[in-house]
C-alpha cells in the first residue's frame, strides 16, 4: 500500500495505486451518485404521471393555506386530513391525484396537485376550501402542454418536501 493524495480534499491516505479519493470523500461521492439515481427515477415516475394526466385532459392546481405562516408539520397534517376526506368522498372508486407539499423561499408552504380522470369533477378543490384557497390551475388539454408537464414533473421531483399519489389502475 502506498501513500496517496485525495483529489478532492488533498488529504494523504494509504491505499492502492488506483485510489483517487480518501475513504470519506469516496463515501460522499457514492452517496451523491445514489441521490442522483433516486432523483432520476422520481423524475421518470412523475413524467409518466403527467403524460397520463395529459392524455385524460388533466390539470395542475395550486393550493394555498389559510394561515400564511403555517409550520411544516402542521402543513403536512392539513394535507393528510384533506387526502383522507378525498378518499372518503370518492369511496373505493378510482381517484387519480398526485400531490406535492412545497416550500417557497420566504418559508411559506403551498401544495401543487395534478388531477386527472374522475378527480376533475371539482370535489377535491371544494374539499380544500376549508383549509385554504384553491388558486390558479393549468389545463393539460393539448400536446403543446408536454413541456409544461415535463417541467412540472422535474421541479416537483427536485423541490417537494413531501408528496404522494392516489392512483389505482
Amino acid at each position: 500500500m502506498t501513500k496517496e493524495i485525495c483529489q478532492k480534499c488533498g488529504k494523504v491516505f494509504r491505499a492502492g495505486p488506483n485510489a483517487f479519493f480518501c475513504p470519506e470523500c469516496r463515501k460522499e461521492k457514492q452517496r451523491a451518485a445514489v441521490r442522483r439515481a433516486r432523483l432520476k427515477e422520481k423524475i421518470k415516475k412523475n413524467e409518466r404521471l403527467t403524460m397520463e394526466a395529459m392524455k385524460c385532459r388533466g390539470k395542475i392546481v395550486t393550493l394555498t393555506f389559510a394561515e400564511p405562516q403555517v409550520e411544516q408539520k402542521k402543513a403536512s397534517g392539513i394535507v393528510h386530513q384533506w387526502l383522507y376526506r378525498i378518499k372518503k368522498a370518492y369511496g373505493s372508486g378510482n381517484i387519480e391525484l398526485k400531490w406535492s407539499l412545497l416550500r417557497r423561499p420566504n418559508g411559506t408552504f403551498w401544495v401543487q396537485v395534478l388531477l386527472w380522470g374522475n378527480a376533475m369533477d371539482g370535489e377535491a378543490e371544494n374539499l380544500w376550501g376549508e383549509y385554504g384557497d384553491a388558486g390558479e390551475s393549468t389545463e393539460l388539454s393539448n400536446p403543446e402542454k408536454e413541456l409544461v408537464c415535463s417541467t412540472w414533473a422535474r421541479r416537483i421531483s427536485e423541490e417537494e418536501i413531501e408528496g404522494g399519489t392516489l392512483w389505482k389502475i
Side-chain angles (χ1 to χ4, degrees):
M1 295 194 89
T2 62
K3 289 184 179 179
E4 300 290 337
I5 299 172
C6 178
Q7 290 183 354
K8 190 170 183 181
C9 67
K11 187 171 128 181
V12 176
F13 65 100
R14 294 184 63 83
N18 293 330
F20 299 105
F21 301 102
C22 66
E24 294 84 20
C25 291
R26 185 170 60 245
K27 217 172 213 13
E28 182 54 43
K29 190 172 178 171
Q30 288 170 342
R31 282 189 200 115
V34 167
R35 278 193 300 271
R36 282 193 309 274
R38 285 185 184 149
L39 179 62
K40 190 175 179 181
E41 284 299 314
K42 199 174 188 182
I43 290 170
K44 280 183 186 177
K45 179 184 172 193
N46 285 339
E47 283 180 342
R48 202 169 51 245
L49 287 173
T50 54
M51 292 304 140
E52 177 69 28
M54 196 172 76
K55 287 179 198 169
C56 300
R57 300 187 171 296
K59 64 181 174 180
I60 298 170
V61 181
T62 300
L63 307 173
T64 56
F65 294 97
E67 297 177 33
Q69 291 296 328
V70 65
E71 294 177 8
Q72 180 177 342
K73 193 172 184 179
K74 187 173 181 183
S76 178
I78 290 171
V79 171
H80 285 285
Q81 283 178 357
W82 174 65
L83 291 169
Y84 176 74
R85 290 182 64 204
I86 286 175
K87 287 177 188 175
K88 282 184 73 174
Y90 285 96
S92 61
N94 193 4
I95 175 88
E96 292 92 3
L97 179 143
K98 163 75 176 115
W99 64 276
S100 295
L101 179 64
L102 305 158
R103 183 194 325 247
R104 290 191 177 101
N106 66 1
T108 59
F109 292 94
W110 55 297
V111 180
Q112 274 212 320
V113 182
L114 175 66
L115 302 168
W116 72 99
N118 65 353
M120 293 288 292
D121 63 1
E123 183 67 21
E125 291 122 309
N126 292 340
L127 289 171
W128 182 260
E130 176 180 321
Y131 307 111
D133 183 37
E136 63 186 67
S137 69
T138 305
E139 299 285 331
L140 305 175
S141 57
N142 53 15
E144 291 87 47
K145 298 286 185 175
E146 191 168 332
L147 182 61
V148 172
C149 289
S150 63
T151 304
W152 183 84
R154 179 170 292 279
R155 188 173 53 100
I156 290 301
S157 300
E158 292 171 354
E159 296 176 6
E160 81 179 356
I161 296 168
E162 187 178 349
T165 307
L166 299 179
W167 184 25
K168 296 177 186 171
I169 299 175

